[in-house]
Amino acid sequence: MKRSTDLDDFDRKILRALQENSDYSMAELGDKVGLSHTPCWRRIKRLEAEGIIRGRVTLLDPRKLDLGVTVYCYVTIQNHDEESLNSFESAVQDVQEVVECYSTSGDKDYVLRVVVDSVEHYEQLLKRTLVHLPNVASVNSTFALKQVKYTTQLPL
């Protein structure tokens, strides 16, 4: 896969524009970045083939779907052997309320971002699911009070 330093100005313009709005027609995108339809299309296909563009999605407003509670869970694992870590990482994939999971350095092993409709929902998820994930020693939770910044756009 190419490193981002191998991207030229047109590639970066295309990526910035698609992060802003992935629904542009090829003609609109070409006009926006200064390329005709075919060269623009070829670049997008190359960026997809290289894995730089992984997919296109629709972003939803969680509050309008009554999913206004965001919780950050700091998970400590009992054993740190490869099998135990893989077991946890595999199991967390099946918890739909967990929308992000990161392996971390420091005194906590993972941080999860959980989205639910209420504190009560989170309490049940914690008691029934999160503490029972493979190899979990402890879960510490922090509730987000307000979303100050959120973007899916990478700084290109």
Side-chain angles (χ1 to χ4, degrees):
M1 178 163 76
K2 280 189 172 185
R3 294 187 335 247
S4 64
T5 55
D6 295 334
L7 299 175
D8 67 15
D9 286 341
F10 284 117
D11 291 336
R12 290 179 190 284
K13 285 179 184 178
I14 288 169
L15 293 172
R16 279 193 291 269
L18 288 175
Q19 286 187 111
E20 184 182 293
N21 180 2
S22 66
D23 287 335
Y24 284 128
S25 70
M26 202 55 60
E28 290 171 325
L29 183 59
D31 287 345
K32 188 163 183 68
V33 302
L35 289 172
S36 63
H37 178 280
T38 302
C40 190
W41 179 83
R42 283 189 187 127
R43 284 173 180 269
I44 289 172
K45 290 300 171 192
R46 179 180 52 78
L47 293 166
E48 289 172 340
E50 292 174 355
I52 293 170
I53 296 176
R54 296 188 319 192
R56 299 175 194 204
V57 299
T58 299
L59 300 176
L60 306 177
D61 186 331
R63 292 173 306 217
K64 292 187 178 178
L65 296 168
D66 293 326
L67 294 169
V69 177
T70 299
V71 187
Y72 291 92
C73 307
Y74 301 92
V75 179
T76 304
I77 298 296
Q78 292 172 3
N79 301 308
H80 293 87
D81 59 277
E82 185 175 2
E83 183 179 332
S84 297
L85 296 174
N86 287 342
S87 180
F88 172 82
E89 291 174 12
S90 178
V92 81
Q93 302 297 321
D94 297 327
V95 183
Q96 73 175 23
E97 293 91 344
V98 175
V99 296
E100 294 180 71
C101 174
Y102 298 94
S103 174
T104 60
S105 63
D107 62 338
K108 304 300 180 197
D109 299 303
Y110 292 92
V111 62
L112 314 178
R113 184 167 74 94
V114 174
V115 176
V116 291
D117 63 348
S118 66
V119 173
E120 294 78 16
H121 182 160
Y122 177 72
E123 180 183 15
Q124 292 305 309
L125 179 71
L126 178 66
K127 289 178 178 178
R128 294 180 181 165
T129 305
L130 297 180
V131 297
H132 299 291
L133 290 171
N135 205 29
V136 168
S138 69
V139 178
N140 294 340
S141 307
T142 301
F143 288 80
L145 299 178
K146 178 172 87 171
Q147 186 177 70
V148 176
K149 180 180 179 179
Y150 172 79
T151 184
T152 61
Q153 296 182 15
L154 297 176
L156 297 176

